[in-house]
Amino acid sequence: MSAFTDIPERADTRQWLGLAVLLLPTVLLFLSMTVLFLATPYIATDLSPSSGQLLWINDIYGFVMAGFLVTMGTLGDRLGRRRLLLAGAALFGIASVLAAFAPGPDLLIAARALMGLGAAAVMPATLSLITTMFRDDRQRATAIGLWAASVSAGVALGPLLGGLLLDSLWWGASMLIGVPVMALVVLAVPVLIPEYRAPEAGRLDPISVALSLAALLPFVYGVKKLAETGFAVEPVLAVLAGVVFAVVFVRRQLRLSDPLLDVRLFTNRIFSGSLGVYMLAAIALGGVYLLFTQYLQLVAAQSPLQAGLWILPAAIALVIVSTVTPAIARRVRPAYVIAAGLALSTIGYLALTQVESVAGLPLLIVGFYILYPGIAPAMALIPGLVIGAAPAEKAGAASAVDSTASDLGVALGVALLGSMGAAVYRAGMSGEAGAAAETLPGALSSAESLPAEVAESVVAAGREAFTNGLNAAAWTAAVLSAAGAVLAVALLRRIPAGAIAVPKTEEGVDVSVGDGVAERGTVPA
C-alpha cells in the first residue's frame, strides 16, 4: 500500500494493526501522568525534594504537555502528523531514561518536562491519524471509542503498574515503561500509519506560541504558590501577569488570518460548555487521586503492590463504563449521562471527607470506588461533543483543545488540591521542625531516629495532618464535581440522544503510507 487512496472503504488488517499501535502511546501518555503517584514516597526518601519540588515532579509533565498541545497540533498540520508523532515518541523515550536515572529532584523535574514536551507532540497526532485511517463511519466510531477507552485505561493503570514495579524494583523503573513502547511506535508507525498533511493549515506564529506559554506558566505558578504560602506579592503578580498575557494572546488570535488557536470556537455553547465540564471533572480527580494513592501507602501502610491492587477494581470499572457509555448516549441525552456520572463522583468525594487517619481505609476505598467510574461518561463523550461542535475544517484544532483541557485539568488538580493538602499538613505540623513539618514522608523518615514514644507521636500527628489535607481536598473536589454536573445539564441538555458526532476526515490533505506520498485529493468521509 503506497498511498492513502489504496486504503479500502472498510478497514482491513493493516488499519486495525495501525490502530493498535496508536493506542499504545495513548495509554502510555496518560499512564505517565499518574504512574508516579505511588512512587512519590520513594522519590521523597531517595532524592529528598522539598514539598514544592515534590509537587513539580508530579505535575510538570501535565503542565508542559497541556501548554504545547495546540502548538504541536499546528506543527503537525504543517509538517505531517506522522512525522511529529515519531519525533515526539523518540523524545519521550530518551527523556524517560533521563528521568529514571535522575540523581536529584531538579534533573528529575527537567526530564519530566521533556517527557511532557514529547507527549504534546504525540497526543494530538493519534486521534487525527485515526480519523484518516478509517473511512467507514461505523468503524471510525468504533476506533474513536477504543481511543477514548485507552485514555481511561492509561489514567487507571498508572498506579497499578507503578505498584508492581516498585514492589520488586526501584522508582525509576516506573519511568522506563515508556522506552519499549515508544521504540515499538518508532519502528511500526512508518509501516502501518498513513501520513497526514493539511496544506492549508497556515503558518506557525512564534509570537502566539510565546504568548500562550507566557499566559499559562505564570498563572499556574502563581496559583501553586498562593496555595502553598498564602497571600503574597510574588504569586499575585504572577497570576496577574498570566491573565494579562492571556488577554494579549486572545486579541492577537482574533487579528490573525491563521491563528494558533481559533478562539471564536469558544463562542459555541456546546464547545465551551463541554470543555468547562471536562476541566472541572479533571481538576477534582487529579488532586484527589494523588492524595488517595499517598494515603494508601503513608497512612494505611500498604505496599505499592497492595495499593495498586486496591486501585485495580476501580480501574476496571472505569474502562467498562467508558466503553458502554456511548451506547447509553444513543438512548439518553449526553448531558444527563455526564451529569449522572459526576453526581456519582460527588457522592464519592463526600465519602472521602469523612475518612480518618486511624482505621479509615474501608471508607477511603468505598468512596474511591464510587467516585472513580463516575468520571468515565465525561471522558468518553466530551471529546466527541467538542469535535462535533467545531466546523469540519477545524476538527484538528478542536481535538488539540480537548486534550489541553483534559491534561491541564488533571495537572491543575494535582497543583491546586495537592498544594491545599500540603498547606493543611504544614498547618497541622506547625509544632514540628525540619522535614517532619514539610511532608509526611519527612515525618516518617525523621521518626526512625527518634525514641519510640516520640516517634509514635510524630507519626500519628503526621498521619492525622495528612488525612485532614485529604479531607479538605475532597470537599473542594465535591464542589467542583457537583458544579460540573450542573453545568452539563445547563449547557448541554439540548443535545439529543445519539447526536455524538464522529469527526469527518478533512478535505484537501496530502497523505502517504510508508515512503510513498499520495497525490492531493479529496478524502471521503
Side-chain angles (χ1 to χ4, degrees):
M1 186 182 301
S2 61
F4 179 78
T5 52
D6 294 331
I7 294 179
E9 289 294 331
R10 290 189 59 81
D12 59 16
T13 303
R14 181 186 290 269
Q15 280 73 60
W16 292 111
L17 287 175
L19 174 65
V21 171
L22 289 177
L23 294 184
L24 284 175
T26 304
V27 172
L28 175 66
L29 298 185
F30 284 89
L31 182 151
S32 296
M33 195 174 290
T34 58
V35 71
L36 274 192
F37 285 178
L38 289 182
T40 297
Y42 295 84
I43 294 173
T45 300
D46 192 19
L47 302 184
S48 301
S50 66
S51 59
Q53 287 175 320
L54 198 60
L55 285 172
W56 276 116
I57 288 169
N58 275 288
D59 59 34
I60 189 65
Y61 171 86
F63 284 138
V64 172
M65 181 179 175
F68 280 92
L69 273 170
V70 174
T71 299
M72 292 299 183
T74 303
L75 279 176
D77 287 338
R78 287 174 50 80
L79 304 177
R81 291 189 175 177
R82 186 182 68 179
R83 181 179 298 175
L84 199 66
L85 170 65
L86 293 172
L91 176 60
F92 189 97
I94 294 171
S96 297
V97 175
L98 296 176
F101 297 100
D106 291 336
L107 288 178
L108 179 55
I109 292 171
R112 290 279 290 173
L114 288 177
M115 290 173 65
L117 185 61
V122 172
M123 190 61 199
T126 56
L127 181 57
S128 59
L129 285 172
I130 287 172
T131 63
T132 65
M133 291 167 55
F134 291 87
R135 302 171 74 170
D136 177 79
D137 284 351
R138 187 174 294 274
Q139 289 185 325
R140 189 188 299 118
T142 299
I144 292 173
L146 291 172
W147 179 87
S150 72
V151 172
S152 303
V155 173
L157 294 176
L160 176 61
L161 289 180
L164 290 171
L165 291 171
L166 288 168
D167 198 56
S168 56
L169 299 172
W170 92 113
W171 62 263
S174 62
M175 297 289 94
L176 296 177
I177 297 173
V179 177
V181 172
M182 289 309 189
L184 177 60
V185 169
V186 170
L187 293 174
V189 161
V191 178
L192 297 173
I193 309 298
E195 179 60 289
Y196 175 101
R197 290 191 292 268
E200 304 300 327
R203 67 181 184 85
L204 181 68
D205 179 37
I207 296 178
S208 294
V209 174
L211 286 173
S212 68
L213 296 176
L216 176 66
L217 297 181
F219 179 83
V220 172
Y221 170 80
V223 170
K224 280 173 58 66
K225 295 299 290 184
L226 284 171
E228 291 175 12
T229 63
F231 183 84
V233 175
E234 179 188 352
V236 170
L237 290 178
V239 170
L240 292 177
V243 172
V244 170
F245 280 117
V247 172
V248 175
F249 172 79
V250 170
R251 291 172 63 88
R252 182 172 180 82
Q253 302 316 292
L254 291 172
R255 293 197 307 268
L256 292 175
S257 57
D258 294 314
L260 178 69
L261 173 63
D262 187 356
V263 295
R264 294 179 181 86
L265 289 173
F266 289 92
T267 62
N268 184 300
R269 178 178 179 145
I270 296 175
F271 184 88
S272 56
S274 298
L275 291 173
V277 172
Y278 214 4
M279 281 283 289
L280 290 173
I283 291 171
L285 180 64
V288 169
Y289 204 126
L290 170 64
L291 297 173
F292 166 80
T293 54
Q294 291 181 335
Y295 182 102
L296 286 175
Q297 296 177 89
L298 302 176
V299 179
Q302 302 291 293
S303 71
L305 180 57
Q306 288 173 324
L309 291 174
W310 278 119
I311 293 168
L312 181 59
I316 294 173
L318 179 72
V319 173
I320 291 174
V321 176
S322 296
T323 304
V324 303
T325 292
I328 298 174
R330 296 190 190 106
R331 298 179 178 274
V332 182
R333 290 178 182 263
Y336 299 140
V337 179
I338 294 170
L342 293 179
L344 188 67
S345 291
T346 301
I347 295 172
Y349 290 126
L350 290 175
L352 295 191
T353 66
Q354 304 305 307
V355 171
E356 298 179 351
S357 61
V358 179
L361 182 60
L363 182 57
L364 179 86
I365 296 300
V366 170
F368 186 72
Y369 285 5
I370 294 172
L371 73 90
Y372 201 46
I375 197 176
M379 296 177 69
L381 297 180
I382 285 180
L385 291 174
V386 170
I387 295 172
E393 67 273 12
K394 297 178 181 178
S399 175
V401 172
D402 171 76
S403 297
T404 300
S406 173
D407 302 342
L408 183 58
V410 172
L412 278 173
V414 172
L416 298 178
L417 301 191
S419 297
M420 177 183 296
V424 172
Y425 176 88
R426 286 194 300 272
M429 297 291 284
S430 58
E432 301 294 332
E438 282 286 320
T439 66
L440 181 52
L444 297 177
S445 178
S446 299
E448 294 177 357
S449 59
L450 297 174
E453 292 184 2
V454 178
E456 183 177 346
S457 174
V458 170
V459 169
R463 286 175 170 166
E464 182 178 359
F466 181 90
T467 304
N468 290 339
L470 169 65
N471 298 152
W475 276 113
T476 304
V479 172
L480 293 173
S481 184
V486 172
L487 191 65
V489 174
L491 298 182
L492 308 178
R493 66 180 183 276
R494 295 181 181 177
I495 304 171
I500 299 297
V502 176
K504 301 292 186 181
T505 306
E506 292 91 337
E507 295 184 351
V509 299
D510 293 335
V511 291
S512 68
V513 175
D515 295 327
V517 178
E519 59 187 28
R520 181 179 175 182
T522 299
V523 180

